[in-house]
Amino acid sequence: MQLAFDPRFGDFDGEDPLFSQIADDLQSKAWSVIPSALPPALAAALHQQLMSLDEEQFARAGVGRSNDFTLNSFVRRDEIRWIEGGTDAEKDWLQWSNRLRLFLNRRLFLGLFSFESHFAHYPPGAFYKKHVDAFKGNPRQDTSNRVLSVVAYFNPGWLPEDGGELALYDEHQVEPFLSVTPAFATLVVFLSEEVPHEVRPARRDRYSIAGWYRVNNSLNDQIDPPR
Ligand code: OGA
Ligand code: MN
């Protein structure tokens, strides 16, 4: 079957099997975990960049708008670096993320408008306590407008004793329903408001990208900050 290419939508992904699986999973259960998901060349390029970054090129991550170092340290101990498209690997990542955005908008009518993402380094002992990436209810309360969360992992040879699992929770359950190994090229996608999650303490250096698709909630003349 020949499908028309509409330049308004950028690259046309038709029935890309990976994107289709993510859409199906989100529709049926609000989350998707797919091992070996990232295109190999993209995963390799991002991994190479991560390995070339120095410790000083990461910044300690904060919580919401808080500058309280003690509070932040209690909640999360990772170090982050925002992805702005400064390298070929970053450009390829942003392009791939944008293709996923357009695909999901077309398939699920999510109205995803923008994307932000950062590299994250969890040194040994680092964790991120149970949280949601966006709060239900008042959409302006946390000013994030995050709808969909994406996490990708860059840890070749990760072993069970290395810890650092991503635990996913049902909102109404105390115990997690899934524990994800942060293995190389594994991709996790979930609805930001629906899936509480936590990063268990890592016992070796753990690398990931976390990203969020947002809707455009600009009201009147209040323009949303980009992040
Ligand atoms: C986050 C997050 C998970 C991970 O940054 O909000 O939940 O596995 N990250 O890095
Ligand atoms: Mn999170």
Side-chain angles (χ1 to χ4, degrees), residues 179-198:
S179 177
V180 181
T181 300
F184 190 75
T186 291
L187 186 71
V188 180
V189 186
F190 54 88
L191 297 181
S192 303
E193 292 180 348
E194 309 274 330
V195 183
H197 53 283
E198 90 181 287

Side-chain angles (χ1 to χ4, degrees), residues 19-61:
F19 290 176
S20 292
Q21 187 182 340
I22 295 169
D24 291 346
D25 286 346
L26 289 176
Q27 194 158 33
S28 61
K29 57 187 185 187
W31 56 273
S32 181
V33 174
I34 306 178
S36 307
L38 281 190
L42 177 62
L46 291 166
H47 180 243
Q48 196 172 25
Q49 180 173 346
L50 270 164
M51 294 303 99
S52 76
L53 291 171
D54 291 328
E55 194 62 25
E56 313 86 73
Q57 294 174 285
F58 287 86
R60 272 296 299 274

Side-chain angles (χ1 to χ4, degrees), residues 111-114 140 145 214-219 222-224:
L112 306 176
F113 179 78
S114 63
R140 298 202 63 83
N145 307 326
R214 308 183 343 154
V215 291
N216 182 15
N217 269 358
S218 299
L219 293 175
Q222 281 185 286
I223 302 300
D224 268 354

Side-chain angles (χ1 to χ4, degrees), residues 141-210:
Q141 208 172 329
D142 61 359
T143 70
S144 80
N145 307 326
R146 288 171 173 177
V147 171
L148 195 65
S149 303
V150 178
V151 190
Y153 296 107
F154 302 92
N155 306 295
W158 195 264
L159 299 170
E161 57 263 38
D162 297 328
E165 302 90 353
L166 177 73
L168 301 183
Y169 291 81
D170 181 286
E171 321 174 71
H172 308 293
Q173 304 286 328
V174 178
E175 295 297 324
F177 65 81
L178 191 69
S179 177
V180 181
T181 300
F184 190 75
T186 291
L187 186 71
V188 180
V189 186
F190 54 88
L191 297 181
S192 303
E193 292 180 348
E194 309 274 330
V195 183
H197 53 283
E198 90 181 287
V199 179
R200 300 251 174 75
R203 282 180 219 102
R204 63 173 251 221
D205 291 296
R206 175 196 192 271
Y207 295 93
S208 59
I209 289 178

